Amino acid sequence: MNLIKLDATTSTNDFLKQLYATQVVDNFTVVTADMQTSGKGQMGSKWESEAGKNLTMSILVKDVLMNPQQIFHLNVAVSLAVVMALKEFKINDIQIKWPNDIMSGNFKIGGILIENNFKSDGEIVSFVGIGLNINQLQFDQLPKASSLQIQMKKAYDIDSIRDEIGHQLRIAVAKIIHNDTQDLWNSYHSHLFKKDKPMPFEDIKGKRFMGVIQQVNNEGKLEVRLEDDLMVCFGVKEVRLLY
């Protein structure tokens, strides 16, 4: 694994994208930083992390996705790589909250941001950003955030978790390459947060309603069955699960 360790950067994804734009970068190159000054979450939201306490990493993934229809396969693979890595460390009740949050019980401990570069020759290059709260103990004004140390009452070696995620990601993306994605999706749905449970939701207009998460479709949209048995699909940021 080609590893680049930084003391600080604006964003590991931005650093990796700039590096890729100026030189040849090996597949699965990993960039980590002790501190991000402008960490990013989904849809432009900000990701904050206490310096030196957590894992902030980006991984270059290329020669995996063959067409845009496979984009969410990679989201599934990355989510599962994080889940399987954390299971190796015996972390409690790890689940995936659609579209990109990693949960321990009802608490968010991590997030994923994948930025894709569609090249003129059809090649798709992905910059996979992963933020994982590991040893941070305070989350001011973030009551639903937590860390591995808070959840498990012990400190963890950040580098060991980083390496295990890299290992699990290689295993997961190999299934995309070999067109064995059904196994990935089955595992993804088995770890989907609040699946098959009646839950309150809120849409972008502020309307609240009850629904049951059925699955995530191949386009990455959340399929929810409403109280009248109507099935509706939501894209990212179109609905919020209240829990």
Side-chain angles (χ1 to χ4, degrees), residues 97 144 193-194 199-202 213 239-243:
K97 178 175 169 288
K144 293 182 179 178
F193 184 66
K194 301 300 184 183
M199 294 295 297
F201 294 83
E202 183 177 272
I213 293 173
V239 71
R240 183 164 65 99
L241 174 65
L242 306 176
Y243 65 98

Side-chain angles (χ1 to χ4, degrees), residues 12-242:
T12 54
N13 260 25
D14 286 350
F15 180 92
L16 187 55
K17 285 188 290 185
Q18 291 167 7
L19 188 70
Y20 180 81
T22 57
Q23 66 184 69
V24 176
V25 181
D26 291 339
N27 206 4
F28 296 104
T29 290
V30 175
V31 175
T32 65
D34 286 341
M35 181 175 70
Q36 288 188 131
T37 57
S38 299
K40 295 183 292 183
Q42 192 77 23
M43 301 292 285
S45 60
K46 191 174 182 181
W47 177 270
E48 296 187 3
S49 177
E50 187 177 343
K53 296 293 183 68
N54 304 311
L55 176 62
T56 51
M57 67 186 293
S58 293
I59 308 171
L60 180 74
V61 176
K62 57 183 179 178
D63 304 324
V64 173
L65 301 178
M66 296 296 107
N67 58 69
Q69 287 70 44
Q70 293 182 311
I71 289 298
F72 205 78
H73 290 336
L74 183 58
N75 290 64
V76 169
V78 174
S79 299
L80 286 175
V82 176
V83 166
M84 296 307 171
L86 293 179
K87 286 189 171 187
E88 289 294 314
F89 292 87
K90 307 294 191 292
I91 309 302
N92 288 337
D93 196 17
I94 298 299
Q95 299 175 75
I96 303 162
K97 178 175 169 288
W98 178 86
N100 70 331
D101 290 344
I102 304 299
M103 310 290 290
S104 175
N106 282 327
F107 293 95
K108 179 178 176 178
I109 58 169
I112 295 163
L113 174 66
I114 301 177
E115 298 178 282
N116 297 296
N117 181 351
F118 299 88
K119 304 184 75 174
S120 59
D121 62 359
E123 183 184 8
I124 302 172
V125 179
S126 303
F127 305 91
V128 176
I130 299 170
L132 197 61
N133 300 328
I134 296 182
N135 293 321
Q136 185 168 330
L137 295 177
Q138 292 187 336
F139 295 90
D140 295 336
Q141 300 179 341
L142 293 171
K144 293 182 179 178
S146 190
S147 68
L148 302 190
Q149 184 168 350
I150 292 173
Q151 293 298 97
M152 303 303 296
K153 297 179 172 53
K154 59 180 284 191
Y156 288 86
D157 180 71
I158 296 172
D159 290 350
S160 296
I161 294 174
R162 175 203 67 209
D163 292 347
E164 186 61 32
I165 290 174
H167 171 66
Q168 293 292 340
L169 182 59
R170 286 175 179 265
I171 294 173
V173 299
K175 293 184 178 181
I176 299 176
I177 294 170
H178 294 105
N179 202 28
D180 185 21
T181 56
Q182 190 58 53
D183 181 58
L184 283 177
W185 278 92
N186 289 343
S187 184
Y188 176 84
H189 282 122
S190 73
H191 290 93
L192 191 59
F193 184 66
K194 301 300 184 183
K195 183 178 182 293
D196 297 325
K197 297 179 180 179
M199 294 295 297
F201 294 83
E202 183 177 272
D203 66 18
I204 54 177
K205 296 180 180 179
K207 180 183 177 181
R208 296 192 174 189
F209 60 93
M210 293 295 296
V212 179
I213 293 173
Q214 301 296 296
Q215 65 173 4
V216 176
N217 66 26
N218 286 339
E219 296 177 354
K221 292 186 176 182
L222 187 70
E223 296 186 0
V224 178
R225 185 178 298 278
L226 304 183
E227 290 180 292
D228 59 3
D229 264 354
L230 180 68
M231 189 77 73
V232 292
C233 293
F234 296 99
V236 175
K237 299 294 185 180
E238 291 181 350
V239 71
R240 183 164 65 99
L241 174 65
L242 306 176

